[in-house]
Amino acid sequence: MELSERKRKILAAVVELYIKTGEPVGSKALSDLPELSVSSATIRNEMSELAELGLLEQPHTSAGRIPSQEGYRYYIDHLMGRHELTPEERRRLDSLFSVNPGDPEKVLGQAGEVLADITNCAAVSTTPADAQASIRRIELVPVAANTAMVVLLTTSGILKSGLCRAMVPIDERFRTAFANIAEKHFIGRPVCEVSVPQIQTLAASLGEYTLTMSPVLITLAQLAHEAAQAEILLDGQTNLLSYDERGVDVREALEFLRDTSPLEHLMDSGRERVRVFIGSENTFRQLRNFSMILSPYKLAGRPGGAIGIIGPTRMDYASLIPHIEYLSAIVGKLLSEALGGDDYAIL
């Protein structure tokens, strides 16, 4: 859609004033702007044409105009200025991270807390997902005589653990046998290749350990399956309760967000750039009056996951997008540094 320069300025001004005030924007308010040195009548005519194009809406007959979802999209794609973070803003964001980068979920959890706090929106993120990631380390840690924790670490930085109960004491001999099996059959193997049927076939070949090792190996298979899947993390959902936007059913959205699985396809980490989903672009009816901003992060140059926010369509996109991009870069840096270290502690 091609707009004249005047229409572009008016649309940008309406979006920015509405984001700032939350009130419909009238021609009088626009005529006072120095960049629009035309009469109120001319502005009204231009706003009427923008409404006919579907870029502006009039919530009430006597009210001014507000951006439509298509108006926000045009603004973001064609009119929005780039807000560069100042050195002070970058230092502040850097200082908010105090977590040890050894655990991706902890890093992403803190990133979600930071995002929810600085944006007053719901924060959403995905753990790294890579079905071809390989198993980097496996440890068996006794917690009781016959109970141990199996801990699995992948080359994508995913850390998974699960308790299992064996039929015999998990002593040094048992742990050594498990370490040898892990080294021979699992270390360096893609997590997608580890399955319960494969584990059962392996267990049948272990002789005296066929029965005693099976519970531990089945737990390992379950952890490998979990490690191959991206997990979606949410934080600050109750922030959405502070918004009373037109047509927004916050409680319906909160109920929807209790099950994160529908968000999986939106959180696709294969993209290279920040993405903005406005209203119905989210595809889910419960989010039809919300916007989602997602920024991917990388692990050592490879796609890792994404972090972002869910909030009202009336949000300050120009300011929020660079903050989210910078936080995603911090997450990628922390996780990449952790993966590059030989002393990666999994306990």
Side-chain angles (χ1 to χ4, degrees):
M1 187 185 303
E2 290 295 328
L3 298 180
S4 67
E5 185 63 24
R6 182 188 292 163
K7 282 186 173 65
R8 289 166 65 94
K9 288 182 178 180
I10 290 174
L11 178 58
V14 171
V15 172
E16 290 165 4
L17 282 173
Y18 183 63
I19 287 173
K20 182 178 180 180
T21 67
E23 298 293 333
V25 179
S27 57
K28 177 63 171 64
L30 294 178
S31 65
D32 292 336
L33 298 176
E35 63 267 29
L36 292 174
S37 54
V38 293
S39 67
S40 294
T42 299
I43 292 175
R44 279 196 299 273
N45 290 335
E46 295 282 25
M47 292 174 75
S48 295
E49 293 181 17
L50 287 170
E52 290 175 3
L53 292 172
L55 299 176
L56 294 180
E57 297 176 346
Q58 191 171 24
H60 306 291
T61 304
S62 59
R65 308 281 179 164
I66 66 173
S68 65
Q69 292 184 8
E70 292 77 11
Y72 281 119
R73 171 52 60 196
Y74 193 94
Y75 171 77
I76 291 169
D77 290 346
H78 303 289
L79 307 177
M80 184 176 69
R82 174 73 182 185
H83 171 77
E84 297 294 339
L85 296 184
T86 65
E88 291 76 16
E89 288 174 318
R90 291 172 181 263
R91 282 194 292 270
R92 177 174 176 268
L93 292 176
D94 289 336
S95 69
L96 295 176
F97 279 84
S98 59
V99 70
N100 186 315
D103 185 339
E105 289 193 19
K106 289 183 179 178
V107 172
L108 289 166
Q110 184 157 22
E113 292 176 6
V114 170
L115 264 181
D117 181 56
I118 67 174
T119 66
N120 200 36
C121 294
V124 59
S125 62
T126 54
T127 59
D130 185 358
Q132 298 302 315
S134 299
I135 297 175
R136 181 172 178 178
R137 284 177 63 183
I138 302 171
E139 289 191 13
L140 185 64
V141 183
V143 296
N146 290 52
T147 306
M149 179 177 289
V150 182
V151 186
L152 178 147
L153 174 68
T154 75
T155 52
S156 288
I158 293 298
L159 188 69
K160 294 293 178 182
S161 62
L163 287 174
C164 66
R165 183 175 178 82
M167 295 181 290
V168 298
I170 301 177
D171 53 18
E172 191 62 35
R173 179 172 178 268
F174 187 96
R175 293 180 64 198
T176 299
F178 175 78
N180 292 335
I181 293 169
E183 182 66 34
K184 181 178 180 180
H185 297 282
F186 299 105
I187 300 300
R189 186 169 188 169
V191 290
C192 63
E193 294 182 6
V194 181
S195 64
V196 172
Q198 181 257 335
I199 289 289
Q200 292 171 335
T201 300
L202 171 61
S205 68
L206 295 180
E208 64 174 303
Y209 288 107
T210 294
L211 294 178
T212 58
M213 196 66 69
S214 291
V216 181
L217 295 177
I218 290 173
T219 300
L220 176 59
Q222 293 168 342
L223 297 178
H225 174 74
E226 293 176 10
Q229 313 300 315
E231 291 187 33
I232 296 178
L233 309 176
L234 281 167
D235 199 287
Q237 299 95 305
T238 56
N239 284 342
L240 299 181
L241 291 171
S242 63
Y243 297 104
D244 185 22
E245 304 297 317
R246 186 174 65 94
V248 170
D249 188 337
V250 173
R251 296 191 181 278
E252 182 185 40
L254 291 177
E255 183 65 25
F256 172 74
L257 292 174
R258 291 180 63 182
D259 176 14
T260 58
S261 56
L263 297 177
E264 289 176 1
H265 82 279
L266 287 177
M267 298 293 291
D268 171 25
S269 62
R271 306 297 183 92
E272 293 293 321
R273 297 166 52 185
V274 66
R275 291 166 289 155
V276 181
F277 301 92
I278 303 170
S280 58
E281 294 174 359
N282 289 302
T283 71
F284 298 108
R285 175 181 57 81
Q286 297 86 345
L287 298 179
R288 65 190 179 279
N289 289 308
F290 292 86
S291 287
M292 179 184 291
I293 303 175
L294 297 176
S295 180
Y297 64 84
K298 292 186 176 182
L299 296 177
R302 297 181 295 107
I307 68 171
I309 60 172
I310 299 171
T313 54
R314 187 178 69 85
M315 63 169 69
D316 189 353
Y317 299 95
S319 175
L320 293 175
I321 288 173
H323 280 81
I324 295 168
E325 286 181 309
Y326 189 72
L327 283 172
S328 69
I330 293 176
V331 167
K333 179 174 180 290
L334 288 173
L335 297 184
S336 296
E337 288 175 353
L339 289 174
D342 295 330
D343 57 347
Y344 196 115
I346 67 174
L347 287 177

